[in-house]
Amino acid sequence: MTAAINRTPLASDDDWWRSAVVYQVYVRSFADANGDGVGDLQGIRERLPYLRELGVDALWLTPFFTSPQIDGGYDVADYRDVDPMFGTLADFDAMITDAHALGLRIIVDLVPNHTSSAHPWFRAALAARPGSAERERYLFADGKGEQGELPPNDWESIFGGPAWTRVADGQWYLHLFDPAQPDLNWRHPEVRAEFEDVLRFWLDRGVDGFRIDVAHGMIKAEGLPDVGFNSMTTGRRQSELLGKGRLPYFDQDEVHDIYRAWRPILDSYPGGRMAVAEAWAETPQRLARYIGPDELHQAFSFDFLDATWSADSFRKVIDTALAESTIVGAPTTWVLSNHDRQRHVTRYGDGEVGLRRARAAALLMLALPGCAYLYQGEELGLPEVLDLPDELRQDPAFLRTGESRDGCRVPIPWSGELAPYGFSPEGCELSWLPAPATWRALSVAAQTGVPGSTLELYRAALRIRHEHPALAGTAGAVTWLEAGPGVLAFRRSAGDTVLTCAVNVSGAEVVIDGYGRPIVASAELTEQGGGHLLPVDAAAWFERR
Ligand code: BGC
Ligand code: MG
């Protein structure tokens, strides 16, 4: 086993998030302590030592609040309580206390764009009449057509189909996601006050930050204007414009008022409480507007995740991201996978090729300055599970579009010979999604202490990232090096100490010379002349002091 990272519990550094490695815990698939086949807070608590050994700085927990779980908890019915499926508030308190004692910070997921249809506010809205105060907290509208039988406009749900559902008295309500996720009216002062209070509720319980779900969505253009096309009229889905174009329901200027009100709340607590936006905007410049000393601390950059396996593609997104971070004065975020996207082993080609590339990409990401977000299981090299039986799939998008995010949400294999591989307690065979037989060899136990395993690669890289002067903190700007076609190479330095990261995307093995001694590699290097042969789809870090 690798040596534990040497650090004091919770370094008192307000800027911790600038260089942190944040591990995303998809709560229902991480670890199940009570044996019901669903991950829970006590399961996380029991696995905190694993996460500390892995060497991450913080955890982002996906929603564990009271919810009917129509969209995996992104449909919240009570923002101030834990769903019984995941435990209790006392479990949360115990978990965060232990996490902090181990030096791990906790980020929780805030879902402000919509509530669950089971939220008391929405129930009250349904029970009340059109035009009532209860309906004003949501976006109810009369339909078009002679009897109001057509939706108020042409907006489309991100999960497919119309973004409007009609209620018994004939009015329609807006839901940019599932009908069980009605959008809130963020021009309503009660909505604003409520969420400011929810922020304080979790800050008081000690959370170190928030991931803001659909952070670009809360304000809709006045008058709810049509987009002009949708899949019903032209066959083109509006969601194609995500991150590329303007939509009247996303990235409206007024949304920034909300974050300007939130920032002083975060700043009024000690210890560097932060917020990261899951935001989509037309241009990187518009995305950058969410970040700054008077708004949020970070926004996920999904360009790195979307980069294809080529030197040009990576180089371009890295350069753009670094340039932007200089402009906004906030560090870049790097993401390769999350609970909404196909796992990167599979995106990069699946099987052995995909795994090789995923390991190399990890070394690339972890050598870059900024904050890296890991998604649970990527440290094990887990692929997407592509062959889940349809009847087990739970993603609400699946029913509407045939696309499902369940394949990246399969429970983590921890140990043992039989599925679910230690996800649930000994002797318990339940797990809400089945793990494939091939995952036996990928479990935490199967990889721990095994030289060359993906888990040990991540551990080694995280330890070096934490301790190496050229990588630690925000030190060391990126300087690109000319290393031949198809080879990405850059160095970062602190004084005379230089760390060089080289990634071979060229399709043929290459000789790397002159960067010093290799300190970690995603595949075996062989010495050649004075240098080293870097295999196809491999990456390595070299050091010169
Ligand atoms: C979350 C998704 C969720 C959606 C609706 C997204 O950004 O990451 O998992 O389905 O928001 O809340
Ligand atoms: Mg459980």
Side-chain angles (χ1 to χ4, degrees):
M1 179 157 313
T2 38
I5 286 175
N6 177 18
R7 91 182 136 201
T8 49
L10 271 212
S12 60
D13 170 9
D14 282 4
D15 279 345
W16 64 274
W17 47 274
R18 289 183 179 271
S19 57
V21 176
V22 183
Y23 183 97
Q24 181 189 352
V25 175
Y26 191 68
V27 178
R28 62 178 173 159
S29 301
F30 187 64
D32 169 26
N34 69 348
D36 62 352
V38 181
D40 42 50
L41 295 178
Q42 178 60 23
I44 299 172
R45 187 176 175 208
E46 289 168 10
R47 303 292 183 176
L48 290 172
Y50 165 76
L51 295 166
R52 186 195 152 97
E53 284 279 307
L54 178 61
V56 299
D57 304 294
L59 313 182
W60 148 32
L61 311 186
T62 54
F64 49 80
F65 317 105
T66 314
S67 160
Q69 305 292 329
I70 301 295
D71 184 22
Y74 284 95
D75 47 323
V76 180
D78 183 348
Y79 289 85
R80 296 182 188 76
D81 207 352
V82 173
D83 194 280
M85 175 185 270
F86 300 125
T88 61
L89 275 175
D91 291 335
F92 179 83
D93 293 341
M95 190 272 307
I96 196 170
T97 303
D98 285 8
H100 284 167
L102 288 171
L104 294 165
R105 289 186 155 87
I106 300 291
I107 295 171
V108 297
D109 215 316
L110 188 72
V111 189
N113 179 66
H114 43 264
T115 69
S116 159
S117 51
H119 191 285
W121 277 4
F122 193 70
R123 295 197 166 172
L126 285 186
R129 277 172 301 115
S132 61
E134 286 83 354
R135 288 209 173 169
E136 271 171 24
R137 296 190 196 111
Y138 292 89
L139 294 158
F140 278 84
D142 294 329
K144 286 186 177 158
E146 271 176 29
Q147 315 289 327
E149 72 282 5
L150 299 171
N153 66 22
D154 67 358
W155 296 2
E156 201 168 18
S157 155
I158 303 298
F159 292 163
W164 297 91
T165 288
R166 201 170 192 195
V167 301
D169 56 41
Q171 270 208 316
W172 298 75
Y173 70 89
L174 180 72
H175 52 85
L176 293 178
F177 294 88
D178 192 81
Q181 295 166 296
D183 280 55
L184 285 163
N185 171 14
W186 271 87
R187 293 201 176 91
H188 197 302
E190 269 181 50
V191 171
R192 297 205 180 201
E194 169 68 1
F195 277 87
E196 291 176 11
D197 194 64
V198 168
L199 284 175
R200 289 200 178 87
F201 178 89
W202 291 102
L203 289 164
D204 288 339
R205 293 198 108 81
V207 306
D208 301 283
F210 298 91
R211 178 253 188 199
I212 314 298
D213 189 61
V214 198
H216 53 306
M218 283 106 95
I219 297 289
K220 281 76 180 172
E222 291 281 9
L224 310 177
D226 279 344
V227 172
F229 71 90
N230 64 29
S231 19
M232 277 84 73
T233 58
T234 62
R236 192 169 160 227
R237 276 175 71 174
Q238 291 173 2
S239 60
E240 281 176 27
L241 287 185
L242 263 188
K244 296 190 197 79
R246 295 304 290 278
L247 286 162
Y249 45 83
F250 283 153
D251 193 34
Q252 302 296 304
D253 291 342
E254 229 182 295
V255 81
H256 296 284
D257 295 345
I258 300 169
Y259 302 124
R260 284 192 281 264
W262 286 7
R263 184 58 179 261
I265 299 175
L266 294 170
D267 287 347
S268 71
Y269 285 78
R273 316 290 177 106
M274 56 78 81
V276 52
E278 184 227 11
W280 295 87
E282 184 179 6
T283 59
Q285 290 73 17
R286 285 196 69 90
L287 184 62
R289 297 172 71 211
Y290 290 80
I291 310 170
D294 63 343
E295 292 202 29
L296 304 175
H297 298 69
Q298 300 177 329
F300 289 122
S301 151
F302 296 115
D303 294 343
F304 190 63
L305 186 154
D306 286 325
T308 55
W309 190 257
S310 81
D312 285 352
S313 169
F314 278 124
R315 173 86 191 246
K316 204 169 137 218
V317 300
I318 293 170
D319 277 339
T320 310
L322 293 175
E324 280 153 17
S325 81
T326 313
I327 295 166
V328 297
T332 323
T333 58
W334 307 107
V335 185
L336 285 168
S337 278
N338 64 33
H339 66 295
D340 290 331
R341 303 292 294 264
Q342 190 177 68
R343 283 188 177 274
H344 56 280
V345 166
T346 303
R347 284 203 324 269
Y348 291 149
D350 216 29
E352 258 179 60
V353 175
L355 180 59
R356 246 186 359 242
R357 292 177 174 176
R359 291 163 55 102
L363 289 191
L364 169 62
M365 170 166 76
L366 293 173
L368 290 166
C371 177
Y373 283 84
L374 310 183
Y375 178 51
Q376 67 179 35
E378 75 169 75
E379 79 279 20
L380 305 174
L382 298 185
E384 185 84 1
V385 179
L386 297 169
D387 58 357
L388 286 171
D390 286 355
E391 62 276 14
L392 294 182
R393 294 186 185 268
Q394 292 198 12
D395 183 354
F398 180 61
L399 294 176
R400 296 175 145 235
T401 63
E403 287 161 26
S404 135
R405 298 166 292 177
D406 295 302
C408 65
R409 300 175 176 181
V410 172
I412 294 297
W414 290 95
S415 61
E417 302 298 309
L418 293 174
Y421 306 113
F423 168 67
S424 305
E426 185 89 45
C428 176
E429 279 158 33
L430 288 174
S431 85
W432 72 276
L433 283 175
T438 45
W439 283 21
R440 186 172 64 93
L442 295 177
S443 75
V444 170
Q447 297 195 44
T448 299
V450 176
S453 71
T454 304
L455 177 56
E456 293 302 342
L457 173 69
Y458 267 79
R459 281 190 177 151
L462 289 169
R463 192 178 62 249
I464 297 169
R465 178 184 160 104
H466 211 269
E467 291 171 354
H468 201 283
L471 296 187
T474 46
V478 166
T479 307
W480 291 104
L481 304 169
E482 276 320 315
V487 182
L488 280 168
F490 61 88
R491 68 159 189 254
R492 295 177 63 195
S493 44
D496 289 341
T497 308
V498 181
L499 188 137
T500 302
C501 172
V503 192
N504 181 4
V505 263
S506 73
E509 59 181 7
V510 291
V511 180
I512 300 288
D513 205 352
Y515 300 154
R517 83 184 172 96
I519 51 174
V520 64
S522 69
E524 196 136 353
L525 306 182
T526 35
E527 285 188 36
Q528 169 141 323
H532 293 88
L533 268 184
L534 186 61
V536 177
D537 296 334
W541 294 355
F542 300 86
E543 176 197 64
R544 226 180 32 220
R545 287 192 188 245

